[in-house]
Amino acid sequence: MGNYTVLIGAQWGDEGKGKWADTLAAQFDWVARYQGGNNAGHTLYYHGKKVVAHQIPSGALHPTCTLALLSGVVLNPVQLLAEIAEIEALGVSVRPRLLLSDKAAVITPWHPYLDQLSESKAETPIGTTRKGIGPTYADQSLRIGLRMGAYIDPQAQQAWVRKMCQQVEGFEAFYRSHEAEWATFFAAAKELAPWVGPAEALCREAARAGKQVLLEGAQGTLLDLAHGSYPFVTSSCTVAAGAAVSLGLDPRKISKIYGIGKAYLTRVGSGPFPTELEDAQGEWLRAKGQEFGATTGRPRRCGWFDAVAMRYAQEINGFDGIYLNKLDILSGLDEVKIAIAYSHPTLGRLENYPADPTILEAVTPIYESYPGWKEAIETCRSFEALPLAAQGFLRAIERTSGVRLAAIGVGPQPEHRIYLSEAV
Ligand code: IMP
């Protein structure tokens, strides 16, 4: 195993990254989040107790892991402190292991306000989590954002407020009318200050000294700002290459890239979703798979597995393997389906995923159907122990998507897994 392994979502997020990252973290010295912010919700279990990590890396429950948030992250300080308190209340200390990049962009009280405003005014809302993710990345690109290094310096804080009042319409009125919120926000800086520093340089140094680093993504490939169905995307680089950018790493040093997927598909928020099931079948998947957002509680849209989208994710990321979750949810169906291509009214048959949302909106999936299986599969611990129909479905996913399945999730608990080949 090399020093850097990347673990990311292969679909539209909510693939169950937390569960695998938590297990894999046991083999790593560092777990570093490289993009996104508290729009994410990674569900972890500690002695049966559920915790949702929004910003803290999923290695949080492993007491020897260093936990880093790198430059590509947007960070909500008040929520981060609340999250630390929640995890520490379980008896796991987080503070001594935390490193926050001085380059990470800060989500200030202004940013969720802007996010809500633009979503409520939009003719076609994106369906964001309204956590201020897009506006924070936008300010960073405009070079008027507040980064962690400046946030923890009282003089730089004040200089930033002055600059915003001068340059950004509406900011001063918002600032003056939300005094208590700003006071809490700036008070959090003092608490976070001890952990802020050159997280990237320290991470690279640790790797040079032989430490193993897991670079953890949030959201999923199909929500990538550049490669997703823009504008129905998140505002960061969710693909594997983003890890090298965020860490400032020679990309050739990344030794393994793993994707997390689900045996069916879900999406939250707006945007095209060719295999969406807007019928009783979709309702059934949502109820059985408990498909409600870990961050917003919103019902997730559900549909069949899409091999066209997975081929695209494989091409962009170069996965060494896929961890496929929630195969157990499909137990009980007469037949299961995989979209193998799309049909477009004017462009004809499409084998390649068109990220352009107007094309994607207009396509109809071309499905292959396979026999379903009725048996519960939670207790299966090998590929051969699965019903033959489930085995056939997994092989069909590999064949139609061009991926190698590394492991399968057959139930919600950590022991509900089947390893198919050498994983991380
Ligand atoms: P934002 O990231 O809050 O700006 O939301 C942009 C889009 O990404 C919306 O469709 C959200 O529902 C989606 N999104 C953001 N974070 C997640 C996530 O962690 N899981 C799934 N979808 C997400």
Side-chain angles (χ1 to χ4, degrees), residues 11-15 17 33 36-42 54 115 119 125-135 137 218-220 223 231-236 266-271 293-296 298 300-301:
Q11 297 161 335
W12 273 301
D14 306 319
E15 301 94 347
K17 289 180 286 296
R33 261 283 294 276
N38 58 332
N39 47 349
H42 297 164
H54 296 283
D115 200 355
E119 281 290 276
I126 307 292
T128 71
T129 58
R130 300 190 171 210
K131 303 287 183 193
I133 306 300
Y137 279 119
Q219 291 81 50
L223 286 170
F232 303 104
V233 291
T234 191
S235 299
S236 63
T266 62
R267 177 168 197 168
V268 266
S270 319
T295 297
T296 58
R298 289 181 292 176
R300 296 176 185 145
R301 300 155 65 193

Side-chain angles (χ1 to χ4, degrees), residues 288 328 331-332 373-380 385-387 410:
K288 188 159 182 219
D328 53 305
S331 287
W373 58 94
K374 300 288 177 191
E375 301 90 325
I377 57 172
E378 277 83 352
T379 54
C380 297
L386 288 167
V410 290

Side-chain angles (χ1 to χ4, degrees), residues 317-365:
N317 296 301
F319 296 127
D320 291 285
I322 295 283
Y323 296 84
L324 193 81
N325 278 326
K326 290 193 156 180
L327 183 67
D328 53 305
I329 303 303
L330 299 181
S331 287
L333 294 172
D334 292 328
E335 67 169 358
V336 284
K337 292 187 186 181
I338 296 176
I340 54 154
Y342 300 146
S343 166
H344 186 276
T346 52
L347 301 171
R349 184 179 169 111
L350 302 178
E351 301 288 340
N352 297 325
Y353 183 83
D356 180 336
T358 50
I359 299 178
L360 206 51
E361 255 334 330
V363 301
T364 312

